Amino acid sequence: MWPFTAALVCLASFSLTAQTPRGTLRFSSGARRAALQVIDGNHPAFISLRPEQGELALLREYFLTHTGPEKMIVANPNPLKTVAPAAWKVTRHRGEKLIQTDDATYWCYTPGLVLPVTFRIGQATWKLESADLPPLLFVELR
């Protein structure tokens, strides 16, 4: 019985570690507000977003599929002259650069990595209001 109990405790602690909060992303779309919890990504170089339901699941999915290495995510970038707002915080290497594409505006939150800050999902336009995150690569956890 003891080995089974020890294995169960180890698995439970791994699951809790994988969900360790690392920051928050706050979005708005008109009068609607949404917060996505940044969590550990099961590797020191990765972060992810806590699983969500309903409309937040769609926002989470869009965000994760449009976040990553700048050269892979942004085709035909148009650098903007404005800089990222002070409410968008990264623990180190804070990015200032914003890039406009036909579909969205992206923030280079750390060198070589971008995330969407203004984008459309269906009829709703979402905007990043505030960010607090480490300078790591976002990944999808399954």
Side-chain angles (χ1 to χ4, degrees):
M1 181 81 169
W2 166 247
F4 176 75
T5 305
L8 188 58
V9 169
C10 287
L11 286 174
S13 66
F14 178 77
S15 295
L16 292 175
T17 302
Q19 297 293 310
T20 302
R22 298 291 304 269
T24 306
L25 298 169
R26 298 189 189 285
F27 292 91
S28 67
S29 178
R32 294 182 293 183
R33 303 284 181 258
L36 298 175
Q37 182 78 48
V38 179
I39 59 173
D40 279 332
N42 291 340
H43 184 278
F46 300 148
I47 51 178
S48 190
L49 296 176
R50 182 183 69 204
E52 301 289 352
Q53 300 292 318
E55 186 177 55
L56 285 181
L58 295 175
L59 179 60
R60 177 186 184 274
E61 180 181 345
Y62 181 95
F63 182 87
L64 288 174
T65 57
H66 292 84
T67 299
E70 181 178 352
K71 293 184 186 294
M72 292 177 61
I73 300 294
V74 182
N76 303 320
N78 180 23
L80 298 177
K81 293 181 181 182
T82 57
V83 297
W88 300 353
K89 298 175 184 147
V90 178
T91 53
R92 58 178 198 267
H93 304 295
R94 182 187 174 333
E96 296 285 331
K97 185 169 81 169
L98 296 175
I99 298 171
Q100 180 72 50
T101 67
D102 292 340
D103 301 326
T105 302
Y106 292 87
W107 173 37
C108 298
Y109 67 100
T110 195
L113 298 177
V114 297
L115 58 82
V117 294
T118 305
F119 52 91
R120 291 184 62 80
I121 300 175
Q123 299 301 315
T125 299
W126 289 93
K127 295 180 182 182
L128 181 67
E129 296 294 325
S130 67
D132 179 16
L133 62 142
L136 303 174
L137 178 64
F138 279 92
V139 294
E140 172 67 78
L141 297 178
R142 299 258 178 222

